[in-house]
Amino acid sequence: MVTLRAGWRRVALGALAAGLVVEGLRAHPAGESAVWGPVLTGVHLTAAAVWIGALVQVIRTGAAWHWNQAARRLLADYARLALALVVVVLVTGTLSGLLLVSPSDLFDTDFGRVLTVKLALVACVCALALYARLRMAERAPRLAIRVEVSALAAVLGVTALLGVTQPPRDANAALPFAPPPSGKAITVGGRADEIGIAATASAGQVVLWLTAPDTDLERGPSTSYKSALNITYPSGRTRTVKARACGNGCFVAPVTWRTGLDLLTVRAEAEGWRGGQYTLRVMWPLQPDADQLTRTVTAMNKAGRFTLHELVASDADRLRTEPTTLTTDGKTFIASEPYAQGTAPQSARFTDADGNTVLALGFLGERLALELTLDDHARVVRETLVAPNHLIQRTFRYPERGNG
């Protein structure tokens, strides 16, 4: 029985430690400082957890011992520990707050007002704790301790509310990382001279990645980037889109997509490399069609031999070179494609201006985007593949008349 309880105690402590680490990485301060934010939050929560947990245990023990002399000595020992914990909680909480909000924003923003309520409750808890410790020499301060526990519970509730309240921030301030897509998404790509472009479009936003030829995707880009965005709606109206950084080579911008073909023009610059502009196509709303991709892979596997014209470019100058021509068969070709299994993380179908069915495929982790133009047999007749350092354009000619 003792071994079982000890085992559960270790499990509980491990779960608590994991929760503190996760919350430290998730909480608002981590968004402002990737190093100090999690450290301050983790220390703050650990001290608060010990403070509250020890207080609850002291109350339970005191009640069981009918607040005799031994219980009062226990309360006195706890009081010394609590003083150190309160100091840690106050210092780390203050520093975390300064990362998120200036004193002038305390009463002018929702986050500031919730934080003010929390500070007031913490001050109340400290006052009750001081009162209880001063009175414990006379008699057990049962009422003050119970009120202190209640106030601490209120602090926890306000803290939870604070965790889901957006802190005030400069609308143009850089984000520490790219926000995830909101709902259905598609990644499209292109090249601005030597700079690779990948853009993930989802409801209300676009996240843009720029890649110079020396980029190591695993370690992250080492080049300084700049970008400017314009969007042209199906109506022909053009407007500038303000983007902010979300990492080196990453930019995010709010976009209200219009029904139809939206043209997103990206002006890309990278230190030490030739840049320029490229226009990306985003057909909205997105129409995911995994079945169409499956049909296309099946049709390509059944296709016989055909002629493939391929142009591979790593910068704009090479787009003027003659394409490579080769003869292959559908099964051999499709085996080398990223969608060979008939699936893609992102897929959307639309009809282009010529009435052709087009599949847009996105592989966000690889910053890989493809556009497949299909014939009436669901085979690929044109393919554009954009990778971080390559642009590949292919056209397909099948032997039978009327296709390709």
Side-chain angles (χ1 to χ4, degrees):
M1 185 68 175
V2 173
T3 302
L4 181 61
R5 288 179 178 175
W8 279 111
R9 188 180 298 114
R10 286 192 292 270
V11 171
L13 289 175
L16 177 60
L20 293 174
V21 171
V22 171
E23 183 62 19
L25 296 173
R26 184 208 66 83
H28 294 313
E32 301 299 326
S33 174
V35 177
W36 289 110
V39 170
L40 289 171
T41 302
V43 174
H44 181 77
L45 293 177
T46 300
V50 175
W51 179 12
I52 297 171
L55 178 59
V56 171
Q57 184 62 28
V58 166
I59 292 174
R60 290 180 58 192
T61 303
W65 292 354
H66 303 289
W67 292 106
N68 58 17
Q69 193 64 29
R72 294 189 188 187
R73 284 197 301 270
L74 177 64
L75 183 59
D77 291 338
Y78 163 74
R80 288 189 289 272
L81 172 65
L83 177 60
L85 294 172
V86 168
V87 171
V88 173
V89 168
L90 292 178
V91 171
T92 54
T94 300
L95 293 176
S96 297
L98 291 175
L99 280 177
L100 299 170
V101 62
S102 64
S104 60
D105 292 327
L106 282 177
F107 302 102
D108 297 333
T109 63
D110 291 339
F111 186 88
R113 285 187 284 268
V114 175
L115 180 59
T116 301
V117 171
K118 178 182 176 180
L119 293 174
L121 286 171
V122 171
C124 178
V125 170
C126 292
L128 287 168
L130 178 61
Y131 172 77
R133 299 340 168 238
L134 292 175
R135 294 292 303 275
M136 68 182 178
E138 303 174 10
R139 56 187 176 85
R142 297 180 179 85
L143 179 60
I145 293 176
R146 290 194 182 98
V147 174
E148 180 184 347
V149 172
S150 300
L152 279 171
V155 170
L156 292 177
V158 174
T159 300
L161 177 60
L162 199 63
V164 297
T165 303
Q166 184 65 33
R169 62 170 71 239
D170 182 356
N172 297 316
L175 297 175
F177 50 81
S182 54
K184 299 174 183 177
I186 191 63
T187 297
V188 294
R191 291 195 67 80
D193 208 324
E194 294 180 322
I195 304 172
I197 300 172
T200 298
S202 60
Q205 72 175 28
V206 62
V207 177
L208 179 72
W209 286 272
L210 305 182
T211 310
D214 67 343
T215 297
D216 185 334
L217 291 183
E218 294 183 358
R219 294 182 300 174
S222 58
T223 304
S224 176
Y225 296 89
K226 294 181 181 179
S227 73
L229 302 176
N230 288 318
I231 186 168
T232 301
Y233 293 119
S235 64
R237 183 170 66 91
T238 299
R239 62 181 290 266
T240 299
V241 180
K242 292 184 178 180
R244 55 176 168 164
C246 50
N248 200 12
C250 175
F251 301 87
V252 59
V255 175
T256 301
W257 305 104
R258 305 298 186 192
T259 300
L261 184 62
D262 295 300
L263 302 177
L264 186 68
T265 300
V266 180
R267 178 76 187 179
E269 298 179 18
E271 182 181 3
W273 302 96
R274 293 195 306 272
Q277 71 178 37
Y278 189 89
T279 298
L280 304 169
R281 303 191 303 172
V282 178
M283 183 65 74
W284 200 263
L286 300 179
Q287 299 181 38
D289 194 342
D291 292 339
Q292 180 63 70
L293 180 57
T294 301
R295 290 193 295 271
T296 294
V297 170
T298 300
M300 292 300 294
N301 278 319
K302 292 179 179 179
R305 298 186 68 78
F306 58 83
T307 302
L308 175 66
H309 302 274
E310 181 178 85
L311 188 152
V312 180
S314 57
D315 59 64
D317 291 338
R318 298 184 186 181
L319 292 177
R320 303 188 187 95
T321 62
E322 291 297 323
T324 300
T325 300
L326 56 93
T327 301
T328 185
D329 61 84
K331 185 172 293 187
T332 301
F333 170 78
I334 210 70
S336 64
E337 291 294 276
Y339 54 88
Q341 302 303 316
T343 60
Q346 300 171 345
S347 66
R349 174 182 53 81
F350 64 92
T351 303
D352 65 13
D354 297 324
N356 300 310
T357 297
V358 179
L359 274 179
L361 308 178
F363 296 79
L364 183 56
E366 295 83 6
R367 302 184 192 177
L368 185 65
L370 297 98
E371 274 195 9
L372 311 179
T373 302
L374 310 179
D375 64 11
D376 294 338
H377 303 287
R379 298 174 304 187
V380 182
V381 292
R382 287 191 299 275
E383 178 186 88
T384 299
L385 184 153
V386 182
N389 290 320
H390 297 286
L391 171 64
I392 302 175
Q393 296 174 312
R394 297 177 174 126
T395 57
F396 302 72
R397 292 198 175 274
Y398 300 96
E400 65 270 25
R401 181 177 297 179
N403 291 287

